[in-house]
């Protein structure tokens, strides 16, 4: 049996780097902060790959299934013999897979940031925050219990707040960081309620106990009903609410596009493999409960995922800021993953959706990090985020051009790139479970190919813009991560995920279904072809289509006015009818009562303080007065 105790350093090292760089970086090694942070990430990346190798290829199996291993565990808070909050590390297929994903992308982002953030004010602060973010995500995926996950879940929120608002001198960055923090708090309240309902019924926080298909915890609360749903179903819906917020699903998606105010490496870290996939990981971690005790909640997961993927894809077709296009692309791809989990059952062929979701999470991490880092190289060259300020860049940025093209082909699902394999598994799972959702995702596949190649052709082909300064390729610290991620995006589809990451830990028999895959590729090529006609060269077609579909385009361009709807709900309803009455009650009842008690105490104190003045005659007066009153009372009672 392999000893995995060393994995505690995967969690401790980024935390120590956060403390070191945060407290001492500015004073003692401002220029070396990036190198130190990157070296720390390199160590934990190596440890994560060693862990993955030991777990998947040399570890022991039981009845052909990968086992859940508690690598380390400490009791933090104990409530009863069974109910306690621990801090530990749980190794199973999805957590080990996430270790590889998080450390790989974070390491690439660290290397990239050495060049991108060079000379920036707050350089050491940036790398300190990156380490905190990585520590938070690693603590989340290694959590042995749902309350530990919630603690690190909130730490992820804090660290993303710090990174999105890194340029705190910019009012827009401050607003964006506040927006991300506040919107996700709404969702996290639901997550907390779900945890409390779940733990009250099961009497445990522990993931192994909660998700054991043969255990008693998973059947608790299945027969108790409220509004036609069991308590377990309600708890899972509330837990999923937290995932909706963190993964920017509809309707809690509004924070994600504004998160672009942070430095571009932050966008890659948040949108690729870390913060936004936390919701997907949460549902995957609780999947046995969803599948066996709360199938209605699983349907909610599927339909929210499907709607979010289509909704975001439509908006992405109209945006001109390249980082916002990629942000809505992330929302759409996360919707794919959620849908796959929603249409999956537990074990056997029904577990195809689970495996497909985790497979797409892995491949998405590679190509989405590549897209965002490529966007950073483009912005670094032209000093603008808008496609209207770009064109013909393939001549100036050859490495960025090729790697960006690979990423676009991958997300469009064109073989033999990895996105084809993982997306095909999702479509197959949807086809066998829900034909309506399958049709929706077929449409999304075509729209995705269109808006990504709209982006590609507008940037690298199109009109050759006359730039004030001739664009040039990014330095090696930025292009090397692009090349590595491009290789990952190209070949990661050949990883046999059906043998490594499945719902029950056993090998899942799956193969490419040509009747689903071929039409999917044709739809993707059709989307690319339409984008080629409209954006390969300067054309009047886009403007004519905008004038024809003016009303629809306006709604999509303005993101269907979801921000305005949220402002109306918060300001006109929540603030006016909830917050204002609560504030009035707080001021006029709670505060007024406390102030009245304080004033009464103060007035009484002022009146009696002269009797504690130290003057003998006043003490004699009080003594004599008291003696006379006692004598009168004694005489009265004697009668």
């Amino acid at each position: 049996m392999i000893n995995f105790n060393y994995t505690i350093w995967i969690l401790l090292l980024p935390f120590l780097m956060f403390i070191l760089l945060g407290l001492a970086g500015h004073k003692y090694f401002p220029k070396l902060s990036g190198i130190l942070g990157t070296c720390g990430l390199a160590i934990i990346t190596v440890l994560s790959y060693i862990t993955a190798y030991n777990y998947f290829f040399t570890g022991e199996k039981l009845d052909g299934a990968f086992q859940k291993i508690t690598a380390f565990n400490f009791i933090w808070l104990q409530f009863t013999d069974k109910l306690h909050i621990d801090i530990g590390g749980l190794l199973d297929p999805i957590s080990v897979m996430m270790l590889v994903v998080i450390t790989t992308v974070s390491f690439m982002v660290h290397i990239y940031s050495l060049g991108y953030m060079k000379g920036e004010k707050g350089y050491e602060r940036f790398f300190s925050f990156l380490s905190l973010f990585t520590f938070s995500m690693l603590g989340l995926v290694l959590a042995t219990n749902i309350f530990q996950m919630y603690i690190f879940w909130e730490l992820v929120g804090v660290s993303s707040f710090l990174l999105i608002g890194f340029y705190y001198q910019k009012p827009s960055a401050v607003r964006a960081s506040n927006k991300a923090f506040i919107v996700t708090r709404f969702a996290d309240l639901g997550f907390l309620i779900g945890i409390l309902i779940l733990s009250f019924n099961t009497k445990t926080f522990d993931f192994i106990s909660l998700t054991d298909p043969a255990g008693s915890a998973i059947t608790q609360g299945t027969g108790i009903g409220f509004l036609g749903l069991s308590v377990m179903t309600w708890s899972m819906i509330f837990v999923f609410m937290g995932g909706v917020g963190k993964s920017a699903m509809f309707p809690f998606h509004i924070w994600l596009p504004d998160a672009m105010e942070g430095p571009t490496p932050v966008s890659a870290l948040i949108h690729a493999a870390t913060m936004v996939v936390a919701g997907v990981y949460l549902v995957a971690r609780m999947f046995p409960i969803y599948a066996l005790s709360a199938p209605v909640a699983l349907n909610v997961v599927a339909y929210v995922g499907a709607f979010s993927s289509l909704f975001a894809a439509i908006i992405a077709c109209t945006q001109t800021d390249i980082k916002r296009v990629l942000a809505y692309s992330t929302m759409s791809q996360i919707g794919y993953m959620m849908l796959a989990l929603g249409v999956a059952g537990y074990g056997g062929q029904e577990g195809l959706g689970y495996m497909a979701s985790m497979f797409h999470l892995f491949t998405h991490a590679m190509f989405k990090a590549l897209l965002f880092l490529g966007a950073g190289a483009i912005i670094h060259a032209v000093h603008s985020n808008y496609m209207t300020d770009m064109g013909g860049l393939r001549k100036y940025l050859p490495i960025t051009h090729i790697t960006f093209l690979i990423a676009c082909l991958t997300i469009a699902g064109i073989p033999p790139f990895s996105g084809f394999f993982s997306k095909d598994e999702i479509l197959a799972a949807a086809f066998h479970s829900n034909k309506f959702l399958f049709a929706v995702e077929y449409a999304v596949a075509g729209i995705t190919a269109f808006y990504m190649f709209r982006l590609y052709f507008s940037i690298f082909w199109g009109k050759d813009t006359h730039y004030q300064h001739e664009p040039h390729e990014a330095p090696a610290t930025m292009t090397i991560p692009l090349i590595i991620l491009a290789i990952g995006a190209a070949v990661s589809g050949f990883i046999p995920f059906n043998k490594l990451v499945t719902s029950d830990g056993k090998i899942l028999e799956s193969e490419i279904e040509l009747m689903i895959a071929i039409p999917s590729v044709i739809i993707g090529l059709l989307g690319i072809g339409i984008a080629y006609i409209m954006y390969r060269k300067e054309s009047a077609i886009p403007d004519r289509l905008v004038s024809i579909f003016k009303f629809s385009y306006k709604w999509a361009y303005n993101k269907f006015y979801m921000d305005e709807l949220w402002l109306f709900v918060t300001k006109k309803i929540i603030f006016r009818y909830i917050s204002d009455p609560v504030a009035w009650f707080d001021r006029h009842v709670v505060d007024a009562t406390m102030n009245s008690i304080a004033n009464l105490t103060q007035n009484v104190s002022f009146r009696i303080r002269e009797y504690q003045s130290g003057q003998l005659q006043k003490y004699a007066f009080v003594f004599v007065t008291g003696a006379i009153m006692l004598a009168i009372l004694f005489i009265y009672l004697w009668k």
Side-chain angles (χ1 to χ4, degrees):
M1 185 69 178
I2 300 172
N3 189 338
F4 288 99
N5 289 343
Y6 67 88
T7 53
I8 193 173
W9 289 104
I10 297 176
L11 197 58
L12 288 179
L13 275 177
F15 178 72
L16 294 175
M17 294 308 302
F18 161 66
I19 297 296
L20 177 66
L21 299 179
L23 297 181
H26 179 71
K27 185 174 182 180
Y28 295 105
F29 33 81
K31 294 183 179 180
L32 291 177
S33 295
I35 298 295
L36 290 174
T38 305
C39 289
L41 252 295
I43 294 171
I44 66 170
T45 302
V46 171
L47 289 177
S48 296
Y49 275 83
I50 292 172
T51 301
Y53 177 80
N54 288 337
Y55 183 83
F56 285 120
F57 301 108
T58 64
E60 298 179 2
K61 294 184 178 181
L62 182 64
D63 296 329
F66 291 107
Q67 299 302 294
K68 294 181 179 181
I69 300 171
T70 303
F72 58 91
N73 198 60
F74 309 98
I75 294 179
W76 180 42
L77 294 174
Q78 181 134 15
F79 303 107
T80 66
D81 291 340
K82 293 184 178 180
L83 195 61
H84 46 82
I85 299 175
D86 299 352
I87 300 295
L90 176 62
L91 300 180
D92 70 345
I94 58 170
S95 65
V96 174
M97 180 268 294
M98 286 296 292
L99 284 182
V100 173
V101 168
I102 292 168
T103 54
T104 300
V105 174
S106 186
F107 184 43
M108 293 299 103
V109 168
H110 273 72
I111 296 174
Y112 184 92
S113 299
L114 292 174
Y116 191 89
M117 299 299 292
K118 186 177 181 181
E120 286 276 5
K121 183 181 179 181
Y123 182 75
E124 65 289 333
R125 175 168 54 90
F126 177 79
F127 279 93
S128 174
F129 291 165
L130 282 187
S131 296
L132 176 63
F133 192 98
T134 306
F135 163 72
S136 303
M137 275 304 304
L138 291 171
L140 188 156
V141 302
L142 286 174
T144 58
N145 60 89
I146 195 169
F147 225 106
Q148 179 187 341
M149 176 181 275
Y150 184 76
I151 293 167
F152 282 94
W153 188 275
E154 295 306 314
L155 272 177
V156 169
V158 171
S159 48
S160 64
F161 168 81
L162 296 172
L163 286 168
I164 294 169
F166 177 76
Y167 297 123
Y168 59 87
Q169 303 93 339
K170 293 172 57 179
S172 58
V174 174
R175 287 195 299 270
S177 60
N178 286 333
K179 186 177 183 179
F181 192 77
I182 293 169
V183 170
T184 52
R185 293 293 72 69
F186 277 95
D188 291 352
L189 174 61
F191 186 13
L192 179 59
I193 292 171
I195 291 174
L196 296 176
I197 297 173
L198 181 67
S199 60
F200 179 80
N201 280 280
T202 61
K203 304 299 186 291
T204 183
F205 295 124
D206 183 67
F207 279 134
I208 294 179
S209 299
L210 283 172
T211 59
D212 182 5
S216 60
I218 205 167
T219 60
Q220 298 297 317
T222 55
I224 306 172
F226 176 70
L227 295 179
L229 300 177
S230 69
V231 170
M232 192 65 82
T233 298
W234 279 113
S235 68
M236 289 298 96
I237 290 174
F238 278 116
V239 166
F240 175 60
M241 184 177 171
V244 169
K246 199 68 79 183
S247 289
M249 295 286 94
F250 182 88
F252 294 111
H253 65 282
I254 58 171
W255 66 267
L256 191 65
D258 291 346
M260 299 299 100
E261 290 292 338
T264 299
V266 171
S267 302
L269 198 60
I270 289 176
H271 293 77
T274 51
M275 181 171 176
V276 292
V277 297
V280 179
Y281 179 80
L282 172 63
V283 177
R285 171 59 70 206
M286 307 299 291
F287 184 74
I289 300 179
Y290 279 99
L292 296 178
S293 302
V296 174
L298 212 55
N299 287 333
V300 173
V301 173
Y303 280 92
V304 169
F307 180 82
S308 297
S309 65
L310 180 61
F311 180 81
I314 292 171
I315 295 175
C317 293
T318 64
Q319 301 301 299
T320 56
D321 183 325
I322 61 174
K323 289 173 70 175
R324 287 183 180 269
V325 173
L326 295 179
Y328 282 107
S329 168
T330 297
M331 178 181 168
S332 183
Q333 296 300 306
I334 297 295
Y336 259 105
M337 301 174 207
M338 287 293 194
L339 175 138
L341 287 171
V343 299
Y346 187 78
Q349 187 61 30
E350 292 180 343
L352 177 62
Y354 180 96
M355 183 277 293
S357 178
M358 297 298 98
F359 194 8
H360 199 59
L361 187 156
F362 189 89
T363 60
H364 175 265
M366 302 300 166
F367 64 71
K368 187 50 63 69
L370 176 57
L371 284 168
F372 268 105
L373 295 184
I378 295 164
I379 295 168
H380 184 267
V382 302
H383 307 292
S384 174
N385 286 26
Y386 292 94
M387 291 187 288
T388 51
D389 297 329
M390 303 170 190
L393 285 176
R394 69 189 186 282
K395 296 179 292 185
Y396 306 104
L397 312 175
I399 297 175
T400 303
H401 169 231
I402 296 299
T403 54
F404 202 89
L405 175 60
I406 290 172
C408 289
L409 290 169
T410 305
I411 193 173
I414 305 301
F417 301 101
S418 61
F420 162 74
F421 297 98
S422 58
K423 187 179 291 186
D424 176 70
E425 299 284 16
I426 292 176
L427 291 173
F431 178 80
H432 293 299
S433 300
N434 189 313
K435 298 296 191 295
F436 172 73
L437 296 182
F438 167 75
V440 170
E441 295 314 310
Y442 246 24
V444 173
I447 298 171
T448 300
F450 168 75
Y451 70 68
M452 286 309 306
F453 275 86
R454 168 181 175 262
L455 187 66
Y456 166 74
F457 288 125
S458 297
I459 295 171
F460 294 103
W461 296 82
K463 181 181 178 181
D464 193 348
T465 304
H466 297 288
Y467 301 100
Q468 292 183 349
H469 304 284
E470 183 174 306
H472 58 83
E473 190 62 89
T477 52
M478 295 170 65
T479 55
I480 290 175
L482 294 181
I483 295 170
I484 294 172
L485 288 169
I487 294 172
V491 305
S492 59
F494 295 100
I495 296 175
F497 252 69
N498 63 309
K499 298 179 180 179
L500 302 175
V501 184
T502 59
S503 59
D504 55 7
K506 299 179 181 179
I507 293 175
L508 176 68
E509 296 298 331
S510 70
E511 58 184 17
I512 295 176
E513 299 188 34
L514 295 180
M515 296 303 294
I516 295 174
I518 292 175
S520 173
V521 173
I522 292 173
I523 289 173
L525 291 174
L526 182 62
I528 295 173
I530 294 173
Y532 178 88
I533 294 170
M534 294 175 63
Y535 298 101
R536 165 65 174 77
K537 295 180 180 179
E538 191 174 8
S539 170
I541 297 176
D543 291 334
R544 287 205 299 267
L545 289 175
V546 169
S547 62
I548 293 172
F549 301 101
K550 186 175 182 180
F551 178 79
S552 301
Y553 177 85
K554 181 180 179 182
W555 272 74
Y557 180 78
N558 288 289
K559 298 159 284 187
F560 294 97
Y561 298 97
M562 285 302 300
D563 287 270
E564 290 77 6
L565 178 60
W566 268 99
L567 283 173
F568 173 79
V569 170
T570 52
K571 285 189 173 182
K572 301 297 184 181
I573 299 177
I574 296 177
F575 289 173
R576 177 178 295 180
Y577 297 109
I578 300 176
S579 299
D580 287 349
V582 169
W584 182 91
F585 182 84
D586 182 61
R587 286 193 303 270
H588 294 87
V589 178
V590 178
D591 286 353
T593 301
M594 294 299 104
N595 291 337
S596 298
I597 294 172
N599 291 333
L600 178 63
T601 303
Q602 186 180 48
N603 291 334
V604 172
S605 299
F606 271 106
R607 291 183 178 278
I608 67 173
R609 66 179 181 175
E610 61 182 16
Y611 298 113
Q612 298 290 329
S613 64
Q615 296 180 11
L616 183 61
Q617 59 270 33
K618 289 188 177 182
Y619 290 164
F621 172 76
V622 172
F623 175 77
V624 172
T625 303
I628 292 171
M629 291 177 66
L630 287 173
I632 294 171
L633 181 63
F634 178 76
I635 293 170
Y636 175 78
L637 293 175
W638 183 261
K639 290 181 178 179

